Amino acid sequence: MQSLTIADTPGEGPVYPAMFATEPSTVVQMPEMQETASAVSYSSVTRMHNVAQPFPDGLAGRVDRGLEKAYTNPRKTPNLLERIRSSPGKRRGILICCLGSVVLTAILLPILLLVIVPKIAQNNIDGSKLVLLDSAITGATDTSFLLTSKGVVEDAGSIGATITVIDGALDVVWIGEGTNGTEITLAKLTGMPDLVVKGGKADLELSKAEVQIVDVNAMTTFTKFLMTGAEFEWKLSGKAKAKAMGLININGLTMNKVVKLRAFDGLKNVSITAFDLPRNDPSGGIQITTTTLMDNPSSLTVEMGALDFSVSFLNAPVGELAATNVTLNPGANTLQLNGRLQTGSSPAALSALSQMFTSYIAGKPANIVVTGTSVTPPSGSAAWLEQGFVGFPLSVSLVPPTPQNLLTNLALGNMDVAFDRADPSGFTSTVSVASLSADFRSPFTFPLKISQTQQVIDITDDQGDVFATLQAPPAAADGDSIKGTFITSFEGGKMTAVASKSSKFADFLTGLLVGKDVPFPIKAKASAEATTAAGVITIDEVPVVDTPLVKGLNSLAQVSIENVIIKGGTRAGMELDISTVIVNPSQISLSGLGQLRLAMFFNDQNVGTVTLPDNGIQRGRNVMVARGVVSPDPKSPAALAAAKTMISNFLGAKASTVSIRGTSSSTDVAALAPGISQLSIQTQLNGIQPTLVTGTTLSIRLSTIVSQIADVTLNVANPFEGSMTLLTLSSTVTYEGREIGRIENETFSTPFFVPAKGAATSVKVPMNLIISLPAIRALFEAVGGSLEVNIAADMRVRVGDYETSVAYAQNNVRTALGL
């Protein structure tokens, strides 16, 4: 097996050209071939070596590796060497090949170095991509700014090289969108660092490289586009040179690289995350403090400095804002924007302020427009930056955290409810409220005073379901955010039940009629006219949700009967005028009820009716005369007996506990019927002690001693306002506690008629005498004119046209002796 030795210097043995070696500076030496080596001079081989040395690794390597493989093949090398030793012609062939290679190299090398390599380098520059990962513009002045950027060059070819921009200067040219198809030179960048290409890539890092503006107007136009456009393109142009593989210097190169960056795209995602109006501003209006979140979609950072904005809403100017030390970074930026709401100088401005407050308090976003008015960079002036920023509008979303409850802890004062007589359903009524007060809490700390309000009040059940609406008219109000108080009142509000919720409305009225402390759930929207340092504004749809308690009528439990007058009677019943006092403990008065027809019960029997006049029910004491009718069912013995007892108690100065009850037909107002039907009023019907019998005359017959029958005449006074007719009479007469006479079932052949408020004397009525010592003494008393007896009678009387039975008793009835 032959050995192959590689030496760095020529000397021992024959030498072959280095172009066939694995390294350009390496030669191959083989001791077995020293004899043949004398045919080739050392100097010529050395020259070939020197010429071949600069060959590129690609060409030399391939020839070297092929020959080396042939020489080191253990099977082929001996035959090859033998043939070389035995054949002088072959040795001459090798020499000719070497000489041809030298000539070829001399021809191709200049072409490679002067034509091919520069072309490859320029192609690599042209085909590469420059990507800026992030960039920052700082230190803006009228004529320059500083650019800091990090980026990467990709697809720059596989040959290692260092690319140098001549003088580090590149022209910054704006191309693409926003240029109307032209190339606009903006500035010249200086301080471009060398790009070291390895593995087809190179890193770029600019640190505050100065950029000189060459066209201020063009830079201003670009800045405006930067603020509004989605993306922009810069072409960086300049001259360059390269050094390839650390050996080959390549001049005359050009660089034209296009970089594409996202612009600010109008800064569309801007929102106010904190908003306050802390106090009145000394310059007029109200101070504003905000925390604003601004999302920058670009990878470009711009040092802005101090910014001033005008604020408008609904196309009307409403204020101004300012920020300091502003640098817009990629992604989320939190800015402190402070300023003031200006005093509204026009109806449009006041209307816009009103709507802005309305939206905020209602918890609805308000999209205000903030427009740049000036920018002052740290250098003090950069006209291109300022002019590009001025007039730039930002749509800012002012989103309150939640709807604001300005009014809480509502309290309702006295309420007057008047039902519409033209609407028997009762689903429409007029409502006046003497006072509606609340705690007033503004979300802002500046003084806010409410001078007028108008409300739409929804009345709901405990689940929030609306069953009636109360439309309140505009009314004066006194609301002070500093004191935290609010009060108003209104007259003539219209309450209307929701047609499909009539049963719930009736239940609500029932609760007011029979309840003591009644929940009054409301869900209102108020419109308030408020005085501020920015002007008089109107805040609409102020939400008010609360459930104040109101005092109900408590079933009108406090009723007393002061007096009863029997007015007369019809065939249907005996008519009474009942002087009544009804105490309404509620804060609510009711009118438009019509007459209330109630049932009168005694001993749990329906004995008649009581009709309250159409006076309504006012707060406190209601003094009225009710019309009573005693009219028990003639087919009900129990009802007839109860009526007789009640009248007898009344005429006998005895109290009767009666119950006045509502029925389903008590009122013509349908919505009130369920509530009225639940009324059950207990009261006392106090009796009177009328002196019906003013005196009697006892007449002794001739046959009295035998028959023990005497005649009696009755002197009767009628205290009632209706006529009275005595139809039948049964009576007992007692003296000193002993019965001395009895009238039994006497039916007047001619009814004993006593006119209203009049008096009459009856015909003689036979009385059975009961002879006893008290009776004898009574006779002597009668003779002397001093007899007084007690009578107890059971009468059938007719009051007016109504007949009824009455039990009547009277003591100390003076009795005289007559003929």
Side-chain angles (χ1 to χ4, degrees), residues 222-241:
F222 168 74
T223 304
K224 291 181 178 180
F225 180 81
L226 174 66
M227 302 300 293
T228 59
E231 62 182 16
F232 67 90
E233 292 178 286
W234 274 354
K235 184 172 73 172
L236 305 178
S237 300
K239 297 179 179 180
K241 62 182 180 179

Side-chain angles (χ1 to χ4, degrees), residues 568-575 629-631 798-803:
T570 67
R571 292 184 180 276
M574 183 169 62
E575 297 175 342
V629 176
V630 179
S631 55
R798 180 188 299 126
V799 178
D801 292 330
Y802 179 74
E803 290 187 14

Side-chain angles (χ1 to χ4, degrees), residues 559-568 574-581 600 609-610 624-630 646-647 649-651 654-656 658 660 683-690 718-722 757 799:
V559 175
S560 61
I561 297 174
E562 301 292 315
N563 187 31
V564 176
I565 297 175
I566 297 176
K567 296 291 292 183
M574 183 169 62
E575 297 175 342
L576 310 174
D577 275 355
I578 306 173
S579 297
T580 306
V581 176
M600 181 167 51
T609 61
V610 174
M624 63 184 69
V625 176
R627 174 58 59 93
V629 176
V630 179
M646 184 183 72
I647 295 173
N649 289 342
F650 174 70
L651 295 178
K654 295 181 180 179
S656 298
V658 295
I660 308 301
T683 188
Q684 292 293 110
L685 176 61
N686 294 317
I688 61 175
Q689 182 61 65
N718 181 4
F720 309 126
E721 295 185 5
K757 295 290 186 178
V799 178

